[in-house]
Amino acid sequence: MNKIILFLLFLLSFPITSKETEFIEWKPIKGAFGYLLEVRDSRKKTIIKEKVKGTTYSVAKLSGNFEFRVSPLNLFEKPTVWSKWSALNIIVSRPPLLKESSVTIDISELSSSIPLDGKNFIPETKVSVLDEKGEVIKSKFKYVSNKRIDLSIVQKGLKKEKLSLLIENPKKNTKKFSNFIVLTDKETDERLAREKAEAERLEKERLAKLEAERLEKERLAKLEAERLAKEKAEKERLEKERLAKLEAERLEKERLAKLEAERLEKERLAKLEAERLEKERLAKLEAERLAKEKAEKERLEKERLAKLEAERLAKEKAEKERLEKERLAKLEAERLAKEKAEKERLEKERLAKLEAERLAKEKAEKERLEKERLAKLEAERLAKEKAEKERLEKERLAKLEAERLAKEKAEKERLEKERLAKLEAERLAKEKAEKERLEKERLAKLEAERLAKEKAEKERLEKERLAKLEAERLAKEKAEKERLEKERLAKLEAERLAKEKAEKERLEKERLAKLEAERLAKEKAEKERLAKEKAEKERLAKLEAERLAKEKAERERLEKERLAKLEAERLEKERLAKLEAERLARENAQKNKKFRIIDGIKNQTNSDYLSVSSEELDSVVKEFTTSCKSTDLPDILVLECYSDHIVLNLQNPARVDLFNYIRLMNDNLQTRLKSYLYFSEEASPKMRAALEKIMSNKDNRVLEWEEKMNLEKAIRKQNSPKN
């Protein structure tokens, strides 16, 4: 112990800073089984109390002022003697920060100190000043607090530039503040400002002079532009008048051509419309014929399918009846099947005969319809040939008329071109004279312009009057021609419409006569079909009634079977419910029994645990919680739990019995021997589960002599009459 105290006097503590170590270290003590470290803060509150194997402990996560002490641990890991409390100062190094992004200082004020306000400064912080090339400038700095450092620049001969700061904290927490110090020179700046103002004044005067010259040029250019604009406007007016005249002539020609084209287009459309109506009429007749044929085919197909469906249903019904009769009386069913087969054969022969007759009728009907269609197509062909001849005659007449009109039009165009050429020659001569006049007027401007305008205006009015008279004459001639043409076309159209009306009336009469014949034939066929359908419906109704009777009998049989099945299911459910109730009752009884056993062991309220089997008691033991890591005993038997030992809670005989019962299952021989001794000498009254467990050990273990002797002794005691 004296050696331990002596060594503790020499325990060393190392104050931790950010630039050195981040752990506490002390000298090792011979014979120590570890150390107990205790650290407390400035308020004397213990924040760390931890067992350590080595002689160091990391304090990287701490920051501030602390105290610590150490004690060696003995064999039982208990502290022996404590060292004195030693100071522990932990400073955390973080990247430095500045409040301002830059400061501006005149070169004349460099001798005074520059305050650097920020945070994360420590006494070990270093400050360097760098120029624009990155070279270090001579400077001094003084640490004031963790939020301020005073900086002084010592180097002389500095010029106007931007300086950077390099602030270094321990643990590589370095940060560079580029262009933080901006050096200025007020005298030089003022001189340069004066020179700049003078240069700006001279530049303004030069620009004002240039602007005056530019304005004068613009005024002269504007006057020239006005003169040119007037000349251009005059030329444009004359050109517009010429173009307007040409445009009026072009529009007149286009109008005449458009009217001619419209007339021809109307004739073409009328012709196309007549052809379209004829095609539509023929297509309609063909569609009606095809629709009738399709309807007839569909009706015949439906009748055939209905017959086949009836035969199929009859066969299915016969099959069902055959199976039913076979089940009741096999021989009778065979006889009936033969009779039914004979009847079906006769029915099929009858239906085949009817089908042959129907096909013959259809063939005759188709031949008759084909003849009518060919006769109709021949009549249509003759009508088309007649219409084609009329159309060709009309086209020939129209062609002759068009040739006559084309000749007249060509003659008019030739005369019009000659007249226009004459007018164009006159216009060119006048333009030439006008240009000469304008040149003279330019030499003597005011008088010449007035005379030229008056002359030009008179000439323009004269031309307009002549053009107007010519246009009126042409319009009258054109209107007269159009009137005569319309009268001729109206007469031809009236004749064509009269012919078409007569043709339509004739075709309509033929169509109505044909439709009436078809209607009478359809009515006759419909009556025959309805008679057949009525007979067939009566036969099918009879068969349906028989089928419904059988289906009803079958449904009643199935309903009886379903009710019997439901009754059986109900009885089965009742049986299962009864079994479930019995199972739940057993489970509840088992749970109540377990609850009574647990309560009896905990509080000694009953002794039910003595009479239960080992299997039941084992299931109760499994329900107890086990939280102590030092043992596998349940918490009901543990009063206090430590890492190397436990304190048992054996406050009543039931807990003692349970404790020794659990030890019977232990793999350790000495533990089992103690339990055998308890159940052979101390335990009373008899415990059924313990006896069963002892008997199990006897049967399932290889016993040594000592265990065998104690085991048999315990069995004799448990089986003795006193128990």
Side-chain angles (χ1 to χ4, degrees):
M1 180 60 75
N2 290 333
K3 286 182 179 179
I4 293 171
I5 294 169
L6 181 64
F7 276 113
L8 287 170
L9 293 174
F10 290 98
L11 282 169
L12 296 176
S13 65
F14 297 90
I16 306 304
T17 66
S18 58
K19 67 179 181 179
E20 296 179 356
T21 59
E22 294 181 347
F23 55 85
I24 308 169
E25 185 178 11
W26 56 88
K27 288 184 178 180
I29 298 173
K30 189 176 181 182
F33 290 88
Y35 303 91
L36 183 64
L37 172 67
E38 188 175 357
V39 180
R40 66 185 185 184
D41 58 15
S42 57
R43 293 176 294 178
K44 309 300 181 184
K45 181 181 178 181
T46 300
I47 59 172
I48 296 174
K49 189 172 185 180
E50 191 172 334
K51 291 179 182 178
V52 184
K53 293 292 183 184
T55 59
T56 60
Y57 184 81
S58 175
V59 291
K61 294 181 180 179
L62 298 177
S63 175
N65 297 320
F66 303 91
E67 291 180 337
F68 78 97
R69 63 178 182 174
V70 182
S71 173
L73 300 176
N74 59 17
L75 177 62
F76 304 103
E77 294 188 355
K78 300 292 183 183
T80 55
V81 63
W82 289 96
S83 67
K84 291 182 180 179
W85 288 100
S86 300
L88 178 65
N89 184 24
I90 301 171
I91 301 171
V92 178
S93 174
R94 294 188 178 90
L97 297 172
L98 293 175
K99 284 185 179 179
E100 298 176 351
S101 59
S102 65
V103 295
T104 303
I105 301 171
D106 194 77
I107 294 173
S108 60
E109 298 174 358
L110 281 178
S111 57
S112 58
S113 63
I114 303 168
L116 303 178
D117 295 324
K119 60 180 181 178
N120 300 336
F121 300 145
I122 57 176
E124 288 78 9
T125 300
K126 293 181 180 179
V127 181
S128 302
V129 182
L130 307 175
D131 61 11
E132 292 178 347
K133 297 178 180 178
E135 296 178 356
V136 179
I137 294 173
K138 291 182 182 180
S139 61
K140 295 180 181 179
F141 64 89
K142 180 183 178 183
Y143 173 79
V144 179
S145 67
N146 64 343
K147 294 185 179 179
R148 179 174 174 180
I149 291 177
D150 289 339
L151 175 68
S152 299
I153 297 175
V154 179
Q155 187 166 324
K156 303 294 183 180
L158 293 174
K159 296 181 180 179
K160 183 179 177 182
E161 61 178 325
K162 294 180 180 180
L163 306 178
S164 301
L165 289 184
L166 183 67
I167 304 177
E168 301 176 79
N169 275 349
K171 301 296 287 181
K172 297 182 180 180
N173 288 315
T174 303
K175 191 168 183 181
K176 183 179 179 181
F177 299 90
S178 301
N179 303 327
F180 182 78
I181 300 173
V182 180
L183 297 179
T184 59
D185 190 346
K186 288 183 179 178
E187 293 180 359
T188 304
D189 290 345
E190 288 175 358
R191 180 176 57 78
L192 291 173
R194 286 195 297 272
E195 290 177 358
K196 185 179 179 182
E198 183 64 19
E200 287 177 353
R201 186 182 64 76
L202 293 172
E203 181 66 17
K204 284 180 181 178
E205 288 177 357
R206 186 180 68 79
L207 291 173
K209 189 176 179 181
L210 290 172
E211 181 66 17
E213 291 174 357
R214 184 183 66 78
L215 292 171
E216 181 62 20
K217 286 179 181 179
E218 284 182 357
R219 188 180 66 78
L220 294 172
K222 189 176 180 182
L223 292 171
E224 183 65 18
E226 287 174 355
R227 185 184 64 77
L228 293 172
K230 286 178 182 178
E231 289 180 359
K232 186 179 178 182
E234 183 64 20
K235 287 180 181 180
E236 286 176 353
R237 184 181 66 77
L238 295 170
E239 183 66 19
K240 282 179 182 179
E241 287 177 357
R242 186 181 68 79
L243 292 173
K245 189 175 180 181
L246 292 173
E247 182 67 16
E249 292 171 356
R250 185 184 64 78
L251 291 172
E252 182 63 21
K253 288 179 182 179
E254 286 181 356
R255 189 177 69 79
L256 294 172
K258 189 176 179 183
L259 290 170
E260 183 65 19
E262 286 176 355
R263 184 182 66 75
L264 295 171
E265 182 66 18
K266 283 178 182 177
E267 288 179 357
R268 188 181 66 79
L269 291 174
K271 188 177 176 182
L272 291 172
E273 182 66 17
E275 291 175 356
R276 186 184 65 78
L277 292 171
E278 183 64 20
K279 286 179 182 178
E280 285 181 357
R281 187 179 65 78
L282 294 173
K284 190 175 179 183
L285 292 171
E286 183 65 18
E288 288 175 357
R289 185 185 64 75
L290 292 171
K292 286 174 184 177
E293 287 181 1
K294 186 178 177 183
E296 184 65 20
K297 285 180 181 178
E298 288 176 353
R299 184 181 65 77
L300 294 171
E301 183 65 18
K302 285 179 181 178
E303 287 177 359
R304 190 178 65 79
L305 292 172
K307 285 179 182 178
L308 292 172
E309 182 67 16
E311 288 175 2
R312 186 184 64 76
L313 292 171
K315 286 178 182 178
E316 289 179 359
K317 186 177 178 183
E319 185 66 19
K320 289 179 181 178
E321 289 173 355
R322 186 179 62 77
L323 292 171
E324 183 65 21
K325 287 174 183 177
E326 279 177 1
R327 189 177 64 79
L328 298 171
K330 191 173 181 181
L331 295 171
E332 182 66 20
E334 289 175 358
R335 184 182 64 79
L336 291 172
K338 287 176 183 178
E339 288 180 1
K340 188 174 181 183
E342 183 65 22
K343 287 179 182 178
E344 285 176 355
R345 185 181 64 78
L346 294 171
E347 181 66 19
K348 283 180 182 177
E349 288 176 359
R350 187 180 65 81
L351 292 173
K353 190 176 178 182
L354 291 171
E355 182 68 15
E357 291 174 359
R358 185 184 63 76
L359 291 171
K361 287 179 182 178
E362 282 183 1
K363 188 177 179 182
E365 181 68 19
K366 283 181 181 177
E367 289 175 355
R368 185 183 62 79
L369 292 171
E370 184 65 20
K371 286 178 182 177
E372 288 180 357
R373 188 178 68 81
L374 292 171
K376 189 176 177 182
L377 290 172
E378 183 65 20
E380 288 172 356
R381 185 182 64 77
L382 292 171
K384 284 180 181 177
E385 286 179 358
K386 185 180 177 182
E388 184 67 18
K389 286 178 182 177
E390 291 176 354
R391 183 182 64 78
L392 292 170
E393 183 64 21
K394 286 178 183 178
E395 285 179 357
R396 189 179 65 78
L397 293 172
K399 190 175 180 182
L400 292 171
E401 182 66 20
E403 288 174 357
R404 185 184 63 78
L405 291 170
K407 286 177 182 178
E408 288 180 0
K409 186 178 178 183
E411 184 66 20
K412 285 180 182 177
E413 286 176 354
R414 186 182 63 76
L415 294 171
E416 183 68 19
K417 283 179 182 177
E418 288 176 358
R419 190 180 64 80
L420 290 171
K422 191 177 179 181
L423 290 171
E424 182 68 15
E426 290 174 359
R427 185 186 62 78
L428 290 171
K430 287 176 183 177
E431 282 182 358
K432 186 177 179 182
E434 184 69 17
K435 284 179 182 177
E436 291 174 358
R437 183 182 60 76
L438 289 171
E439 183 65 23
K440 289 176 183 179
E441 283 176 355
R442 189 176 66 79
L443 297 171
K445 192 173 182 181
L446 295 170
E447 185 62 24
E449 284 178 0
R450 184 180 62 78
L451 294 171
K453 285 178 182 178
E454 286 178 359
K455 186 179 179 182
E457 184 66 21
K458 286 177 182 178
E459 288 175 354
R460 183 180 64 78
L461 293 171
E462 183 63 21
K463 285 178 183 178
E464 287 178 357
R465 187 178 66 77
L466 293 171
K468 190 175 179 182
L469 292 170
E470 183 66 17
E472 288 174 355
R473 185 184 64 77
L474 291 171
K476 285 177 182 178
E477 286 180 0
K478 188 177 178 183
E480 184 64 20
K481 286 178 181 178
E482 287 176 354
R483 184 180 64 76
L484 294 171
E485 182 64 21
K486 284 179 182 179
E487 287 177 356
R488 188 181 65 79
L489 291 172
K491 190 175 179 181
L492 292 171
E493 183 67 17
E495 290 173 358
R496 185 184 64 78
L497 290 172
K499 288 178 182 178
E500 284 183 359
K501 187 177 179 183
E503 183 66 20
K504 284 180 181 178
E505 287 175 354
R506 186 183 63 77
L507 292 170
E508 184 66 19
K509 286 177 182 178
E510 289 178 359
R511 187 180 67 81
L512 291 173
K514 190 176 178 181
L515 290 173
E516 182 64 20
E518 289 174 356
R519 185 182 63 77
L520 293 171
K522 284 181 181 178
E523 284 180 359
K524 186 178 178 182
E526 185 68 19
K527 285 177 182 178
E528 291 174 356
R529 186 181 63 78
L530 290 171
K532 288 179 182 178
E533 284 181 358
K534 186 177 179 183
E536 185 65 21
K537 282 179 181 178
E538 288 174 356
R539 189 176 66 80
L540 292 172
K542 189 176 179 182
L543 294 172
E544 183 68 14
E546 292 174 358
R547 185 183 65 78
L548 291 172
K550 287 181 180 177
E551 284 183 358
K552 185 178 179 183
E554 183 67 17
R555 281 199 298 271
E556 289 175 355
R557 184 182 64 77
L558 293 171
E559 183 65 19
K560 286 178 183 178
E561 289 178 358
R562 188 180 66 80
L563 292 172
K565 190 177 179 181
L566 290 172
E567 183 64 19
E569 289 175 356
R570 184 183 64 77
L571 293 171
E572 181 65 17
K573 285 180 181 177
E574 287 179 357
R575 186 180 67 79
L576 292 172
K578 190 175 179 182
L579 291 172
E580 182 67 14
E582 291 173 358
R583 185 184 63 77
L584 291 172
R586 284 197 300 274
E587 285 182 359
N588 288 332
Q590 191 72 15
K591 286 180 182 177
N592 291 333
K593 189 175 182 180
K594 283 184 180 180
F595 177 78
R596 282 180 58 78
I597 293 168
I598 293 168
D599 189 56
I601 293 170
K602 283 183 178 179
N603 306 316
Q604 197 66 36
T605 55
N606 59 71
S607 58
D608 290 356
Y609 72 93
L610 296 172
S611 59
V612 300
S613 65
S614 61
E615 186 178 345
E616 291 174 327
L617 190 57
D618 286 345
S619 67
V620 171
V621 171
K622 287 179 182 177
E623 292 188 6
F624 289 128
T625 57
T626 303
S627 59
C628 183
K629 296 180 180 178
S630 302
T631 181
D632 54 0
L633 290 173
D635 292 348
I636 192 174
L637 300 178
V638 179
L639 184 63
E640 295 180 8
C641 177
Y642 300 95
S643 60
D644 54 353
H645 69 280
I646 61 171
V647 178
L648 294 174
N649 180 12
L650 305 176
Q651 63 184 7
N652 59 48
R655 295 180 187 239
V656 178
D657 290 344
L658 180 63
F659 173 68
N660 284 284
Y661 171 76
I662 293 170
R663 293 207 299 178
L664 287 172
M665 296 177 275
N666 201 296
D667 291 335
N668 188 279
L669 175 60
Q670 296 300 322
T671 303
R672 293 201 302 276
L673 288 175
K674 289 178 183 179
S675 293
Y676 295 147
L677 184 63
Y678 172 78
F679 284 111
S680 63
E681 294 181 359
E682 299 180 27
S684 183
K686 174 181 176 181
M687 186 176 177
R688 177 188 168 189
L691 180 60
E692 288 179 1
K693 192 61 70 177
I694 293 167
M695 296 298 289
S696 174
N697 286 347
K698 181 180 178 182
D699 296 336
N700 300 323
R701 290 181 184 272
V702 179
L703 303 176
E704 295 183 8
W705 174 82
E706 185 179 5
E707 183 176 5
K708 187 176 181 182
M709 184 182 69
N710 284 285
L711 186 145
E712 289 177 349
K713 186 178 178 182
I715 292 171
R716 286 196 299 273
K717 174 67 183 293
Q718 289 294 315
N719 285 330
S720 64
K722 289 183 180 181
N723 278 333

